[in-house]
Amino acid sequence: QVQLVESGGGLVQAGGSLRLSCAASGRTFSSYNVAWFRQAPGKEREFVAALSLSGINPLYADSVKDRFTISRDNAKNTVYLQMDSLKPEDTAVYYCALTRYSGSYNRYTTKNYHYWGQGTQVTVSS
C-alpha cells in the first residue's frame, strides 16, 4: 500500500509563503494522479489542487487560484504545494492524496482518492 507523509507546515503571517511536501512510498508514484486537500476545524475536508501524471493541467480551487502552485517530482516520489500570499482563511490541516483513477473522474471529491497522508498544520496569522 502507498504511504504518504506531509511536511512543511507551520505558522506564517498573512501575505507570507509556505512550501508543503508530500513524500510517497512505492515505486509507482508516477502512476498516480495527485491532489492536496485541507480541513479547517469543524469543517469538512475540501479540495485545494490536483495534478495529472505528467504534471500538465493543474487544477485549483477558486479560493487558492493564482496563489497556490501544485507540482510533482516523480523521481523523488514527492508532490509539492507552494503557497503564496497566504490568508488567515487558509489555516487548516493540509493533506496530500493519491488516486488510483487515471482516466475520467471527479478530481474535487475526497471519495475518489484512495491514499491519504496524516496531514500537516498550516496556521496563518492576521
Side-chain angles (χ1 to χ4, degrees):
Q1 293 288 339
V2 175
Q3 295 183 1
L4 306 173
V5 180
E6 300 97 337
S7 62
L11 176 64
V12 65
Q13 293 182 355
S17 298
L18 284 173
R19 183 177 176 86
L20 306 183
S21 299
C22 175
S25 65
R27 305 184 188 93
T28 59
F29 173 76
S30 61
S31 298
Y32 295 97
N33 292 315
V34 299
W36 287 94
F37 288 77
R38 66 187 182 187
Q39 188 168 24
K43 298 185 179 296
E44 294 184 352
R45 197 166 298 184
E46 66 173 347
F47 174 82
V48 175
L51 194 64
S52 63
L53 301 176
S54 63
I56 305 299
N57 296 325
L59 182 67
Y60 299 98
D62 288 340
S63 59
V64 306
K65 192 176 301 180
D66 299 323
R67 298 189 298 119
F68 290 10
T69 303
I70 186 172
S71 62
R72 65 191 299 166
D73 187 337
N74 290 337
K76 296 182 178 179
N77 283 0
T78 302
V79 58
Y80 304 96
L81 185 68
Q82 177 66 44
M83 305 184 295
D84 298 320
S85 301
L86 283 162
K87 304 175 180 179
E89 51 263 45
D90 295 318
T91 295
V93 177
Y94 283 71
Y95 300 88
C96 61
L98 274 59
T99 177
R100 295 195 298 265
Y101 302 147
S102 59
S104 179
Y105 67 98
N106 190 330
R107 300 189 191 184
Y108 297 93
T109 63
T110 60
K111 293 181 293 184
N112 286 339
Y113 292 83
H114 305 93
Y115 307 105
W116 294 85
Q118 293 298 306
T120 184
Q121 176 71 47
V122 172
T123 302
V124 184
S125 62
S126 301

